[in-house]
Amino acid sequence: IIDDSHKKPVVAIEFLPATLELEKRGRGASEKNAKDGPVKYFITIAGDGQVMIWDFQAVLEAVNDSDIQWRPAYKVQLQRQDSGTEMGCCQIVYCHDRVDEKKNKMLTNFFASTEEGELIFGDWAAPGGEDRKPEFVKQLFTVSKTFRPMLSLERSPFFSDLLLAVTDWAFYLFKDALFKDGIKEHLFQSSY
């Protein structure tokens, strides 16, 4: 039984790499598992603005239990930075190749899109302060805002640092390296 899930329909799902292992309560991740091992987690997003990480292996191991309760291993609520309201989301792409300035892998980052066509760069393990909540939305790019849902958000199979965002009016190319510098412009936008 799945009781603790999204409040709106799931619109995107992505399997996380087999090497990934979540730390307790999702507050981080590490690469502990074998590359050729079984995939353990997948991530979902819905119009309720929640990002949930599910432990696929745990449910497979408990599938014959009569009282199985499948809950997400971790979940976060995405909120607008300016107003604190929940974001409706519709696409997600896990960032598996991002590194920080010290060349450490950043294993908890993702890109998502809103129902208004905006692009989000987020971190599900964002630290919070003593008197403030964690800010899971690190950057919000409104350049693709059309007030309609983004139809597709994909990483290029040829260039791992390129993202393709498709709305009902246009498509956009974003370069992942640009986001590290805080540049909020796209590389290309098609005409209407």
Side-chain angles (χ1 to χ4, degrees):
I1 297 175
I2 304 175
D3 288 331
D4 191 17
S5 185
H6 291 282
K7 307 298 183 252
K8 290 188 176 181
V10 172
V11 290
I13 181 172
E14 184 168 341
F15 284 90
L16 298 177
T19 57
L20 197 70
E21 184 63 42
L22 287 183
E23 292 177 10
K24 194 170 190 173
R25 288 182 253 155
R27 287 291 173 202
S30 58
E31 292 186 312
K32 292 183 179 178
N33 303 326
K35 232 178 205 178
D36 59 348
V39 172
K40 187 170 183 179
Y41 302 104
F42 65 89
I43 191 167
T44 58
I45 198 163
D48 59 5
Q50 293 187 64
V51 174
M52 295 188 181
I53 302 170
W54 301 84
D55 188 342
F56 188 64
Q57 286 294 8
V59 79
L60 286 178
E61 293 167 3
V63 76
N64 292 327
D65 293 349
S66 61
D67 61 342
I68 184 173
Q69 291 276 325
W70 194 20
R71 291 185 168 85
Y74 189 65
K75 65 181 177 177
V76 298
Q77 178 68 54
L78 300 181
Q79 296 178 330
R80 295 198 174 275
Q81 295 166 324
D82 55 353
S83 65
T85 58
E86 295 176 357
M87 298 179 130
C89 297
C90 52
Q91 302 294 331
I92 193 161
V93 172
Y94 174 67
C95 301
H96 58 277
D97 290 333
R98 290 184 60 83
V99 293
D100 62 12
E101 300 83 26
K102 298 176 185 174
K103 302 295 181 196
N104 297 322
K105 280 199 163 186
M106 300 170 70
L107 300 171
T108 59
N109 292 156
F110 61 90
F111 288 101
S113 67
T114 70
E115 291 176 337
E116 295 180 354
E118 301 155 314
L119 183 65
I120 298 168
F121 175 66
D123 182 357
W124 77 64
E130 292 178 10
D131 57 346
R132 64 180 175 89
K133 293 181 180 179
E135 290 186 17
F136 302 113
V137 176
K138 296 299 180 189
Q139 291 179 317
L140 179 68
F141 304 95
T142 59
V143 70
S144 58
K145 188 170 186 169
T146 61
F147 300 102
R148 301 277 301 142
M150 193 173 283
L151 303 174
S152 183
L153 180 63
E154 300 290 331
R155 186 174 298 281
S156 168
F158 308 109
F159 305 101
S160 63
D161 59 345
L162 286 183
L163 289 172
L164 170 68
V166 180
T167 67
D168 53 356
W169 290 102
F171 71 87
Y172 303 83
L173 290 177
F174 293 93
K175 186 172 172 76
D176 193 357
L178 295 178
F179 300 144
K180 293 177 186 174
D181 300 330
I183 299 172
K184 295 179 173 68
E185 291 296 319
H186 52 281
L187 289 176
F188 176 79
Q189 174 184 347
S190 69
S191 59
Y192 296 114

PDB file of all heavy atoms in Angstrom, residues 166-183:
ATOM      1  N   VAL A 166      11.541  22.108 -23.682  1.00  0.00           N
ATOM      2  CA  VAL A 166      10.531  22.311 -24.711  1.00  0.00           C
ATOM      3  C   VAL A 166       9.248  22.790 -24.053  1.00  0.00           C
ATOM      4  O   VAL A 166       8.732  22.146 -23.139  1.00  0.00           O
ATOM      5  CB  VAL A 166      10.256  21.000 -25.489  1.00  0.00           C
ATOM      6  CG1 VAL A 166       9.195  21.228 -26.558  1.00  0.00           C
ATOM      7  CG2 VAL A 166      11.531  20.468 -26.110  1.00  0.00           C
ATOM      8  N   THR A 167       8.761  23.941 -24.504  1.00  0.00           N
ATOM      9  CA  THR A 167       7.464  24.459 -24.062  1.00  0.00           C
ATOM     10  C   THR A 167       6.505  24.375 -25.249  1.00  0.00           C
ATOM     11  O   THR A 167       6.889  23.938 -26.336  1.00  0.00           O
ATOM     12  CB  THR A 167       7.566  25.913 -23.576  1.00  0.00           C
ATOM     13  OG1 THR A 167       7.885  26.754 -24.689  1.00  0.00           O
ATOM     14  CG2 THR A 167       8.627  26.063 -22.499  1.00  0.00           C
ATOM     15  N   ASP A 168       5.273  24.799 -25.055  1.00  0.00           N
ATOM     16  CA  ASP A 168       4.343  24.757 -26.172  1.00  0.00           C
ATOM     17  C   ASP A 168       4.585  25.864 -27.190  1.00  0.00           C
ATOM     18  O   ASP A 168       4.043  25.838 -28.288  1.00  0.00           O
ATOM     19  CB  ASP A 168       2.891  24.779 -25.685  1.00  0.00           C
ATOM     20  CG  ASP A 168       2.599  25.932 -24.757  1.00  0.00           C
ATOM     21  OD1 ASP A 168       3.523  26.692 -24.416  1.00  0.00           O
ATOM     22  OD2 ASP A 168       1.434  26.065 -24.342  1.00  0.00           O
ATOM     23  N   TRP A 169       5.433  26.844 -26.871  1.00  0.00           N
ATOM     24  CA  TRP A 169       5.720  27.950 -27.777  1.00  0.00           C
ATOM     25  C   TRP A 169       7.104  27.882 -28.400  1.00  0.00           C
ATOM     26  O   TRP A 169       7.325  28.403 -29.484  1.00  0.00           O
ATOM     27  CB  TRP A 169       5.601  29.281 -27.038  1.00  0.00           C
ATOM     28  CG  TRP A 169       4.195  29.601 -26.690  1.00  0.00           C
ATOM     29  CD1 TRP A 169       3.609  29.474 -25.476  1.00  0.00           C
ATOM     30  CD2 TRP A 169       3.177  30.066 -27.571  1.00  0.00           C
ATOM     31  NE1 TRP A 169       2.297  29.830 -25.525  1.00  0.00           N
ATOM     32  CE2 TRP A 169       1.993  30.212 -26.819  1.00  0.00           C
ATOM     33  CE3 TRP A 169       3.133  30.378 -28.923  1.00  0.00           C
ATOM     34  CZ2 TRP A 169       0.802  30.650 -27.365  1.00  0.00           C
ATOM     35  CZ3 TRP A 169       1.947  30.817 -29.465  1.00  0.00           C
ATOM     36  CH2 TRP A 169       0.804  30.952 -28.692  1.00  0.00           C
ATOM     37  N   ALA A 170       8.071  27.306 -27.714  1.00  0.00           N
ATOM     38  CA  ALA A 170       9.448  27.346 -28.200  1.00  0.00           C
ATOM     39  C   ALA A 170      10.262  26.252 -27.522  1.00  0.00           C
ATOM     40  O   ALA A 170       9.779  25.553 -26.636  1.00  0.00           O
ATOM     41  CB  ALA A 170      10.067  28.708 -27.903  1.00  0.00           C
ATOM     42  N   PHE A 171      11.517  26.119 -27.959  1.00  0.00           N
ATOM     43  CA  PHE A 171      12.436  25.265 -27.223  1.00  0.00           C
ATOM     44  C   PHE A 171      13.684  26.067 -26.898  1.00  0.00           C
ATOM     45  O   PHE A 171      14.011  27.052 -27.558  1.00  0.00           O
ATOM     46  CB  PHE A 171      12.760  23.955 -27.963  1.00  0.00           C
ATOM     47  CG  PHE A 171      13.619  24.103 -29.186  1.00  0.00           C
ATOM     48  CD1 PHE A 171      15.007  24.093 -29.086  1.00  0.00           C
ATOM     49  CD2 PHE A 171      13.043  24.222 -30.440  1.00  0.00           C
ATOM     50  CE1 PHE A 171      15.797  24.216 -30.211  1.00  0.00           C
ATOM     51  CE2 PHE A 171      13.829  24.342 -31.569  1.00  0.00           C
ATOM     52  CZ  PHE A 171      15.203  24.336 -31.465  1.00  0.00           C
ATOM     53  N   TYR A 172      14.358  25.650 -25.835  1.00  0.00           N
ATOM     54  CA  TYR A 172      15.505  26.373 -25.296  1.00  0.00           C
ATOM     55  C   TYR A 172      16.646  25.403 -25.083  1.00  0.00           C
ATOM     56  O   TYR A 172      16.440  24.255 -24.698  1.00  0.00           O
ATOM     57  CB  TYR A 172      15.157  27.011 -23.948  1.00  0.00           C
ATOM     58  CG  TYR A 172      13.986  27.946 -23.999  1.00  0.00           C
ATOM     59  CD1 TYR A 172      12.685  27.468 -23.925  1.00  0.00           C
ATOM     60  CD2 TYR A 172      14.179  29.317 -24.118  1.00  0.00           C
ATOM     61  CE1 TYR A 172      11.601  28.327 -23.990  1.00  0.00           C
ATOM     62  CE2 TYR A 172      13.114  30.186 -24.166  1.00  0.00           C
ATOM     63  CZ  TYR A 172      11.820  29.677 -24.104  1.00  0.00           C
ATOM     64  OH  TYR A 172      10.766  30.536 -24.165  1.00  0.00           O
ATOM     65  N   LEU A 173      17.869  25.891 -25.297  1.00  0.00           N
ATOM     66  CA  LEU A 173      19.068  25.137 -24.946  1.00  0.00           C
ATOM     67  C   LEU A 173      19.766  25.867 -23.812  1.00  0.00           C
ATOM     68  O   LEU A 173      20.003  27.070 -23.886  1.00  0.00           O
ATOM     69  CB  LEU A 173      20.017  25.028 -26.143  1.00  0.00           C
ATOM     70  CG  LEU A 173      19.571  24.134 -27.287  1.00  0.00           C
ATOM     71  CD1 LEU A 173      20.579  24.200 -28.421  1.00  0.00           C
ATOM     72  CD2 LEU A 173      19.375  22.703 -26.828  1.00  0.00           C
ATOM     73  N   PHE A 174      20.077  25.129 -22.768  1.00  0.00           N
ATOM     74  CA  PHE A 174      20.799  25.662 -21.622  1.00  0.00           C
ATOM     75  C   PHE A 174      22.098  24.903 -21.482  1.00  0.00           C
ATOM     76  O   PHE A 174      22.137  23.691 -21.670  1.00  0.00           O
ATOM     77  CB  PHE A 174      19.995  25.468 -20.325  1.00  0.00           C
ATOM     78  CG  PHE A 174      18.735  26.271 -20.257  1.00  0.00           C
ATOM     79  CD1 PHE A 174      17.528  25.727 -20.666  1.00  0.00           C
ATOM     80  CD2 PHE A 174      18.744  27.563 -19.763  1.00  0.00           C
ATOM     81  CE1 PHE A 174      16.356  26.456 -20.588  1.00  0.00           C
ATOM     82  CE2 PHE A 174      17.584  28.293 -19.680  1.00  0.00           C
ATOM     83  CZ  PHE A 174      16.377  27.742 -20.092  1.00  0.00           C
ATOM     84  N   LYS A 175      23.169  25.591 -21.119  1.00  0.00           N
ATOM     85  CA  LYS A 175      24.454  24.944 -20.852  1.00  0.00           C
ATOM     86  C   LYS A 175      24.630  24.867 -19.351  1.00  0.00           C
ATOM     87  O   LYS A 175      24.600  25.881 -18.659  1.00  0.00           O
ATOM     88  CB  LYS A 175      25.594  25.723 -21.497  1.00  0.00           C
ATOM     89  CG  LYS A 175      26.936  25.025 -21.383  1.00  0.00           C
ATOM     90  CD  LYS A 175      27.969  25.753 -22.221  1.00  0.00           C
ATOM     91  CE  LYS A 175      29.351  25.219 -21.987  1.00  0.00           C
ATOM     92  NZ  LYS A 175      29.634  23.977 -22.619  1.00  0.00           N
ATOM     93  N   ASP A 176      24.805  23.666 -18.844  1.00  0.00           N
ATOM     94  CA  ASP A 176      24.904  23.417 -17.406  1.00  0.00           C
ATOM     95  C   ASP A 176      26.027  24.217 -16.759  1.00  0.00           C
ATOM     96  O   ASP A 176      25.886  24.711 -15.659  1.00  0.00           O
ATOM     97  CB  ASP A 176      25.100  21.920 -17.162  1.00  0.00           C
ATOM     98  CG  ASP A 176      24.893  21.522 -15.719  1.00  0.00           C
ATOM     99  OD1 ASP A 176      24.642  22.404 -14.880  1.00  0.00           O
ATOM    100  OD2 ASP A 176      24.966  20.326 -15.421  1.00  0.00           O
ATOM    101  N   ALA A 177      27.150  24.390 -17.422  1.00  0.00           N
ATOM    102  CA  ALA A 177      28.272  25.136 -16.849  1.00  0.00           C
ATOM    103  C   ALA A 177      27.902  26.591 -16.573  1.00  0.00           C
ATOM    104  O   ALA A 177      28.470  27.219 -15.691  1.00  0.00           O
ATOM    105  CB  ALA A 177      29.475  25.075 -17.773  1.00  0.00           C
ATOM    106  N   LEU A 178      26.954  27.127 -17.320  1.00  0.00           N
ATOM    107  CA  LEU A 178      26.536  28.511 -17.109  1.00  0.00           C
ATOM    108  C   LEU A 178      25.916  28.699 -15.738  1.00  0.00           C
ATOM    109  O   LEU A 178      26.030  29.734 -15.119  1.00  0.00           O
ATOM    110  CB  LEU A 178      25.524  28.940 -18.176  1.00  0.00           C
ATOM    111  CG  LEU A 178      26.041  29.004 -19.600  1.00  0.00           C
ATOM    112  CD1 LEU A 178      24.900  29.390 -20.536  1.00  0.00           C
ATOM    113  CD2 LEU A 178      27.165  29.997 -19.721  1.00  0.00           C
ATOM    114  N   PHE A 179      25.245  27.678 -15.245  1.00  0.00           N
ATOM    115  CA  PHE A 179      24.552  27.806 -13.966  1.00  0.00           C
ATOM    116  C   PHE A 179      25.535  27.923 -12.805  1.00  0.00           C
ATOM    117  O   PHE A 179      25.217  28.508 -11.781  1.00  0.00           O
ATOM    118  CB  PHE A 179      23.635  26.619 -13.748  1.00  0.00           C
ATOM    119  CG  PHE A 179      22.575  26.486 -14.803  1.00  0.00           C
ATOM    120  CD1 PHE A 179      22.182  25.248 -15.231  1.00  0.00           C
ATOM    121  CD2 PHE A 179      21.995  27.603 -15.370  1.00  0.00           C
ATOM    122  CE1 PHE A 179      21.215  25.116 -16.207  1.00  0.00           C
ATOM    123  CE2 PHE A 179      21.032  27.491 -16.337  1.00  0.00           C
ATOM    124  CZ  PHE A 179      20.643  26.236 -16.765  1.00  0.00           C
ATOM    125  N   LYS A 180      26.726  27.386 -12.946  1.00  0.00           N
ATOM    126  CA  LYS A 180      27.716  27.492 -11.878  1.00  0.00           C
ATOM    127  C   LYS A 180      28.141  28.939 -11.667  1.00  0.00           C
ATOM    128  O   LYS A 180      28.466  29.350 -10.579  1.00  0.00           O
ATOM    129  CB  LYS A 180      28.941  26.631 -12.215  1.00  0.00           C
ATOM    130  CG  LYS A 180      28.656  25.151 -12.222  1.00  0.00           C
ATOM    131  CD  LYS A 180      29.884  24.378 -12.622  1.00  0.00           C
ATOM    132  CE  LYS A 180      29.588  22.918 -12.764  1.00  0.00           C
ATOM    133  NZ  LYS A 180      30.712  22.165 -13.285  1.00  0.00           N
ATOM    134  N   ASP A 181      28.135  29.713 -12.753  1.00  0.00           N
ATOM    135  CA  ASP A 181      28.532  31.114 -12.679  1.00  0.00           C
ATOM    136  C   ASP A 181      27.362  32.037 -12.364  1.00  0.00           C
ATOM    137  O   ASP A 181      27.540  33.241 -12.278  1.00  0.00           O
ATOM    138  CB  ASP A 181      29.174  31.545 -14.006  1.00  0.00           C
ATOM    139  CG  ASP A 181      30.414  30.724 -14.324  1.00  0.00           C
ATOM    140  OD1 ASP A 181      31.084  30.280 -13.378  1.00  0.00           O
ATOM    141  OD2 ASP A 181      30.692  30.531 -15.517  1.00  0.00           O
ATOM    142  N   GLY A 182      26.172  31.486 -12.237  1.00  0.00           N
ATOM    143  CA  GLY A 182      25.014  32.304 -11.925  1.00  0.00           C
ATOM    144  C   GLY A 182      24.435  33.040 -13.123  1.00  0.00           C
ATOM    145  O   GLY A 182      23.594  33.911 -12.971  1.00  0.00           O
ATOM    146  N   ILE A 183      24.863  32.699 -14.346  1.00  0.00           N
ATOM    147  CA  ILE A 183      24.318  33.340 -15.541  1.00  0.00           C
ATOM    148  C   ILE A 183      22.924  32.778 -15.784  1.00  0.00           C
ATOM    149  O   ILE A 183      22.716  31.574 -15.783  1.00  0.00           O
ATOM    150  CB  ILE A 183      25.231  33.099 -16.760  1.00  0.00           C
ATOM    151  CG1 ILE A 183      26.600  33.712 -16.478  1.00  0.00           C
ATOM    152  CG2 ILE A 183      24.615  33.669 -18.026  1.00  0.00           C
ATOM    153  CD1 ILE A 183      27.639  33.369 -17.522  1.00  0.00           C
TER     154      ILE A 183
END
